[in-house]
Amino acid sequence: MFNILDEPWLTVRPAASGPAEEVGVRQLLLEADRFADLVVDLPTQKPAIFRQLLLPIVVDALGRPANAAGWADRFRAESFARDERERLDAYFDEHRHHFDLFHPDDPFAQVPGLRTAKGETKGSALLVATAATGNNVPLFASRTEGDPLELTPAEAARWLLHTHCWDTAAIKTGAVGDSKVKAGKTTGNPTGPLGQLGVVMPVGRTLYETLLLNIPFGQALLGDDLPQWKRRDAGHPLSCATPAWESRAPRGLLDTWTWQSRRIRLIPEETAAGLRVTRVIVAAGDRIRLLPDHEPHTAWAVDTRKPTAKSAPPSYRPRRHQPGRAAWRGLDALLAVNGTRDERTGFQTSELLRSLAETRERLPSAYPLQLELTGITYGNQSAVIEDVFFDEIPLPVAALDPDGIVYDSLLEAVDQAEKLANAVNLLSADLRRAAGADPIPWDKGQRPGDTLLHALDPLVRRLLTGLRTAGEDFERSERGLEAWEQRAGREAWQVAEQVLATAAPGVFTGRTVTRDGKDSTFRLSTAERGFRSRVDGILTRRTAARRATAS
């Protein structure tokens, strides 16, 4: 037996100084104000643990705030009230039997007795996103599929939740009792639900604050919106404790959070090191027919072009993160709290950030809000994991006001960074043309603009942190932007000098290129002059300060 409510399987970092602790769910939630954060094996485990377990317990036991005022009251309390802890404790006692990882009749988030027609099982590495299994062989993996992987009960619990959220797509093992099995397999399986999103998770100073930051207020829960542990009876119309599965729309927030995208069975055995999970069965699970508009953990790309049907609404799709692209480069989407920002294709931020925009005036202006962004890039028909995305950025609460000074300042700085990168790329392109070569294609090779964006990354993050305390102080915001422009200009010229220093022989005299019947001469002097002009036009405060000093 291993009951995840009481057994220590989650690692937490104390809010005060001290070593990390191992706790169960009961202790973590009842003492959530005492812990700063979860410590996980892989960043993508964190949203899985919150969504599959911690958030639905809190919402199912205590309800979700009805409005902004109710949410702010609970947030300012900084910990669960005495009566809330009592209700949580009662909830744990009432549903404790659903949370045993190895219960013979009701194993947590699994199907009891799940089996294949031939009694086959697979190695536990099938659950572990970083382990080699089948076609999924991570680069520089230290083990092969043939090496047995023994998971402790704690590790197995974490990877079980991760699999429900992020599992790869394509063919899955066919289970006895699944009417959709063909030739011992099921095909057409999508990835886990989080694999289709660009997850955006607000994080506070303590786990209590993080829990509240990830619970949207508003509409009351529907009667049939239940967490998966309340849908385990075989006779329940939405039972997730049988091999059968269906394609359907989620009933609401709790159903979405605890979505059982796979039918899984952990197979434990006693080893010399103790109880370990060495074999598993992972079969097809429920498929989300349509991503719900109440999905709170992703921003959206919105196609606002005129629809073909007169009554058709705009098309929404999750905005996924791009590997190698810093999170701050997507601030235009994260700060789109009022809906779309473009005439044709715009953005809409996550429901959680829209909720925070409504409550920003009830929070301290300098509150140290963090955003954690996670995602997975799949390859080969989404059957293998190619890359795991993780980034975190500080976000000033005042930036959630689209009419505020900080909002405009941040978007201006991000736009300047992108334009500076483009200016460096144009410099490189002009010099290559002067040498008789073609510019570096935008989708191939390393362009100097990428080098500049990497150099600007810490400067943007410093600006984000500094603007937390600016509030609506225009002068303070301007001083921050002036400092940013001075440093950004120096970085741009450092990269530009590297480009100029490596220019090919012959660029001094240059070459004349005919395009569309028009002659253009490219040489070192015109390329450098064009770059200088572009930088001056981008960093207007820096340019004005330099000219004022010169005069």
Side-chain angles (χ1 to χ4, degrees):
M1 298 295 180
F2 188 88
N3 196 293
I4 62 173
L5 295 184
D6 302 316
E7 296 284 352
W9 65 284
L10 294 171
T11 303
V12 290
R13 181 166 49 83
S17 60
E21 302 179 35
E22 301 286 330
V23 299
V25 173
R26 185 190 299 259
Q27 182 181 355
L28 184 149
L29 289 179
L30 294 179
E31 302 177 21
D33 58 298
R34 194 168 68 81
F35 305 121
D37 203 0
L38 280 177
V39 179
V40 291
D41 305 312
L42 194 70
T44 44
Q45 279 188 352
K46 185 173 177 179
I49 293 169
F50 268 85
R51 286 172 59 102
Q52 285 276 331
L53 192 60
L54 303 181
L55 292 171
I57 286 178
V58 172
V59 170
D60 199 35
L62 305 179
R64 61 190 290 188
N67 50 42
W71 181 91
D73 288 343
R74 287 172 65 172
F75 188 84
R76 284 195 295 261
E78 297 186 352
S79 66
F80 289 117
R82 180 177 178 179
D83 69 302
E84 290 176 323
R85 289 197 298 271
E86 290 173 350
R87 288 157 62 191
L88 282 169
D89 233 349
Y91 188 92
F92 295 141
D93 292 340
E94 179 183 358
H95 300 288
R96 188 176 186 278
H97 59 288
H98 289 312
F99 292 88
D100 193 323
L101 200 62
F102 304 125
H103 194 285
D105 302 317
D106 189 15
F108 174 73
Q110 300 162 70
V111 175
L114 187 70
R115 62 185 178 87
T116 68
K118 296 182 179 180
E120 304 154 309
T121 63
K122 293 188 177 181
S124 58
L126 191 62
L127 300 177
V128 182
T130 55
T133 175
N135 293 327
N136 189 20
V137 182
L139 189 64
F140 306 125
S142 59
R143 58 178 300 282
T144 68
E145 186 179 17
D147 299 324
L149 180 62
E150 297 182 351
L151 299 178
T152 66
E155 291 171 331
R158 295 192 292 269
W159 287 116
L160 169 68
L161 300 182
H162 189 275
T163 301
H164 277 300
C165 291
W166 298 100
D167 191 33
T168 55
I171 296 172
K172 298 298 170 186
T173 299
V176 174
D178 177 5
S179 61
K180 302 177 182 69
V181 170
K182 294 181 180 180
K185 303 174 182 177
T186 60
T187 58
N189 299 281
T191 67
L194 293 193
Q196 303 168 43
L197 311 178
V199 177
V200 181
M201 188 172 167
V203 174
R205 295 169 296 191
T206 66
L207 279 177
Y208 175 82
E209 290 183 351
T210 299
L211 287 166
L212 266 293
L213 288 169
N214 285 273
I215 297 176
F217 56 79
Q219 183 179 353
L221 298 173
L222 301 176
D224 61 348
D225 181 18
L226 303 172
Q228 58 88 5
W229 52 86
K230 286 188 174 182
R231 295 186 283 104
R232 300 194 56 79
D233 292 339
H236 194 286
L238 301 179
S239 175
C240 55
T242 70
W245 56 270
E246 61 180 310
S247 176
R248 63 179 179 85
R251 293 298 197 268
L253 192 61
L254 298 180
D255 191 15
T256 299
W257 276 341
T258 62
W259 192 263
Q260 300 290 279
S261 69
R262 300 292 181 262
R263 299 294 187 255
I264 302 175
R265 178 186 162 206
L266 304 178
I267 303 173
E269 64 172 288
E270 285 292 344
T271 70
L275 189 66
R276 295 291 185 269
V277 174
T278 57
R279 309 294 296 177
V280 298
I281 298 174
V282 178
D286 295 327
R287 301 179 185 181
I288 294 180
R289 184 179 302 153
L290 182 67
L291 282 172
D293 56 8
H294 55 253
E295 167 54 64
H297 280 112
T298 189
W300 304 86
V302 187
D303 187 350
T304 57
R305 290 173 294 183
K306 187 176 181 180
T308 54
K310 291 184 179 180
S311 59
S315 174
Y316 288 74
R317 67 181 186 277
R319 189 174 188 275
R320 301 182 66 178
H321 307 311
Q322 297 181 31
R325 182 182 172 95
W328 55 263
R329 295 179 65 189
L331 273 175
D332 51 351
L334 295 177
L335 298 182
V337 294
N338 280 347
T340 61
R341 291 181 44 78
D342 185 271
E343 191 175 278
R344 296 184 61 196
T345 301
F347 305 116
Q348 182 170 292
T349 194
S350 71
E351 181 181 355
L352 293 171
L353 290 184
R354 289 204 309 274
S355 295
L356 281 174
E358 289 186 43
T359 60
R360 66 181 183 278
E361 294 181 356
R362 302 172 189 268
L363 297 175
S365 60
Y367 181 77
L369 176 67
Q370 293 280 129
L371 295 185
E372 289 187 356
L373 290 80
T374 49
I376 285 181
T377 302
Y378 302 90
N380 190 19
Q381 298 182 327
S382 297
V384 297
I385 292 174
E386 287 190 344
D387 198 5
V388 173
F389 178 95
F390 175 74
D391 198 1
E392 57 182 339
I393 55 173
L395 184 68
V397 173
L400 295 171
D401 177 8
D403 298 318
I405 295 169
V406 173
Y407 177 93
D408 290 332
S409 297
L410 287 183
L411 292 186
E412 181 183 1
V414 170
D415 184 58
Q416 288 174 322
E418 298 287 354
K419 287 179 177 178
L420 286 173
N422 187 56
V424 172
N425 287 334
L426 289 174
L427 171 65
S428 170
D430 287 348
L431 291 175
R432 288 176 65 88
R433 290 191 183 100
D438 291 327
I440 300 172
W442 70 269
D443 58 342
K444 295 179 182 178
Q446 177 75 24
R447 299 202 298 171
D450 299 328
T451 302
L452 176 57
L453 287 169
H454 179 74
L456 293 178
D457 183 81
L459 302 183
V460 176
R461 295 174 192 273
R462 189 182 308 170
L463 178 65
L464 284 165
T465 302
L467 287 177
R468 278 176 174 167
T469 59
E472 293 304 304
D473 188 332
F474 177 78
E475 295 298 330
R476 193 165 188 174
S477 178
E478 279 296 297
R479 287 197 298 272
L481 287 176
E482 288 170 7
W484 144 257
E485 289 194 9
Q486 292 293 339
R487 295 187 178 95
R490 287 196 291 270
E491 294 293 343
W493 269 105
Q494 284 187 13
V495 175
E497 286 169 356
Q498 295 172 11
V499 174
L500 292 166
T502 57
V507 297
F508 183 80
T509 55
R511 291 175 184 267
T512 299
V513 178
T514 302
R515 291 186 299 178
D516 300 326
K518 183 179 180 180
D519 291 342
S520 300
T521 301
F522 295 91
R523 59 171 63 94
L524 177 64
S525 59
T526 54
E528 183 176 349
R529 186 165 60 249
F531 175 74
R532 189 183 301 275
S533 176
R534 293 184 192 104
V535 171
D536 286 347
I538 295 167
L539 304 177
T540 55
R541 295 173 183 81
R542 174 178 177 272
T543 304
R546 188 183 70 246
R547 290 173 178 170
T549 302
S551 61

